[in-house]
Amino acid sequence: MTDSLLSTPSQRQWIEGAARTGLVAKGIVYSLIGTLTFMAAFELGTGDDKGGKSQALKWLQKQPFGQVLLGLTAIGLLCYSIWRFVEAFLDTEDKGNDAKGLAVRARYAFSGLMYGASTYYAAKLLFGGSSGEGKDTRETIAQKLLEQPFGQWLVGIVAVGVMAVGVYQIYYSISDKHRKKIQESKVDKRVKETLLKTGKVGYIARGIVWLLIGYLFLKAAIQSDSSEAGGSDSAFSFLEQEYGSWILGVVALGLLCYGIFMFVRARYQPVNTQ
């Protein structure tokens, strides 16, 4: 049981601190992604720094005291990853062991893996390792899958799964489920609706990005070409080429809203530790 694994106040306090630190770090990263992508879309002086977490971390490193900022962000991302694993394996959210509960806990674990990978990338940048200028990680995944028996089907399954995540993110927004993430009674009434709207817009924007990444995987499956797959940077490039800078700019602002909502969650989200 969770009570026996997180039995002391210090353990519970540490997990809560990790959760809030992680949400702040996630907010920083998504705020940077949104801001840099918006500026790149309208050529406002950032060069071509639109992309996912990797581009945001690279940009952070280039700033004054960049190594310190990058190090603090890496610690925050590690805290977020640990918290997600605690939610998944200790079931602190009390999701249970039925099919639905296990699916939610698997999503927490997957999130922990993704942010663990971001932590690893930030650490490589911090300690002077290769920043990985080669293939996109998702392109590599698509290539490895295509090399397997029934490879196109495997990539297609991944595509459907990724697009399902995108649909769920949009549903999460329009159903107002994101409101459950914070204790609304503790939010100043004058700013509550504004803050909650950042979450609504943010989850929709994030859902759109997931849908685009899934679509790129689907193209890779249909054409049996791993170069068609890609991550956020490929999704942003596709969006700009097909629909123009204004649409990309709108999505970028949505991702900035998502980052802001992470700060709101860091301040007002109840964190279960037992």
Side-chain angles (χ1 to χ4, degrees):
M1 296 296 293
T2 303
D3 287 339
S4 63
L5 292 172
L6 291 174
S7 57
T8 68
S10 61
Q11 288 175 323
R12 294 193 288 269
Q13 187 177 24
W14 189 92
I15 291 299
E16 181 175 352
R20 300 197 189 284
T21 301
L23 286 167
V24 169
K26 189 177 179 182
I28 290 170
V29 170
Y30 271 94
S31 295
L32 286 175
I33 291 171
T35 301
L36 294 173
T37 301
F38 181 85
M39 295 180 72
F42 296 105
E43 300 180 355
L44 297 177
T46 63
D48 194 33
D49 281 328
K50 61 178 182 290
K53 301 181 188 74
S54 60
Q55 288 298 106
L57 294 171
K58 287 179 187 176
W59 183 89
L60 195 64
Q61 187 184 35
K62 295 174 185 175
Q63 306 315 301
F65 305 104
Q67 290 293 96
V68 175
L69 295 173
L70 181 62
L72 292 173
T73 303
I75 292 171
L77 292 173
L78 176 61
C79 286
Y80 186 83
S81 180
I82 291 171
W83 174 50
R84 296 305 262 178
F85 283 129
V86 168
E87 287 186 305
F89 294 110
L90 302 188
D91 194 20
T92 55
E93 295 294 319
D94 197 26
K95 298 300 180 182
N97 295 316
D98 59 8
K100 183 179 179 181
L102 289 174
V104 174
R105 292 167 66 182
R107 179 164 56 86
Y108 293 157
F110 179 75
S111 177
L113 285 172
M114 292 298 97
Y115 283 92
S118 296
T119 303
Y120 174 71
Y121 182 87
K124 285 180 69 176
L125 285 179
L126 188 63
F127 295 108
S130 170
S131 60
E133 296 293 341
K135 290 184 178 180
D136 184 279
T137 302
R138 290 172 179 83
E139 182 180 339
T140 302
I141 291 171
Q143 179 180 331
K144 295 296 184 183
L145 289 175
L146 286 171
E147 292 172 356
Q148 308 305 312
F150 304 103
Q152 285 179 270
W153 284 99
L154 293 174
V155 176
I157 290 170
V158 171
V160 172
V162 172
M163 286 190 285
V165 172
V167 171
Y168 180 77
Q169 293 282 305
I170 294 171
Y171 163 75
Y172 198 80
S173 168
I174 62 178
S175 64
D176 281 340
K177 286 183 177 293
H178 70 288
R179 298 178 76 116
K180 297 179 180 179
K181 293 293 185 181
I182 65 172
Q183 293 175 296
E184 293 187 38
S185 61
K186 294 186 177 181
V187 184
D188 190 302
K189 292 181 180 180
R190 294 172 297 179
V191 297
K192 181 175 73 174
E193 287 305 315
T194 300
L195 292 177
L196 289 173
K197 284 176 182 176
T198 63
K200 197 174 191 72
V201 173
Y203 277 102
I204 290 174
R206 197 163 179 251
I208 290 171
V209 174
W210 277 101
L211 284 170
L212 289 172
I213 293 172
Y215 171 73
L216 294 175
F217 262 99
L218 188 61
K219 285 183 66 178
I222 293 171
Q223 300 179 20
S224 191
D225 182 0
S226 63
S227 66
E228 293 290 344
S232 300
D233 52 348
S234 299
F236 294 148
S237 296
F238 173 83
L239 194 62
E240 186 172 32
Q241 290 168 8
E242 295 294 324
Y243 300 102
S245 296
W246 283 101
I247 296 299
L248 177 61
V250 169
V251 172
L253 288 177
L255 293 174
L256 173 59
C257 286
Y258 183 80
I260 292 170
F261 190 65
M262 291 303 103
F263 297 133
V264 178
R265 285 180 57 184
R267 176 65 178 85
Y268 296 109
Q269 178 169 338
V271 177
N272 295 321
T273 56
Q274 58 181 359

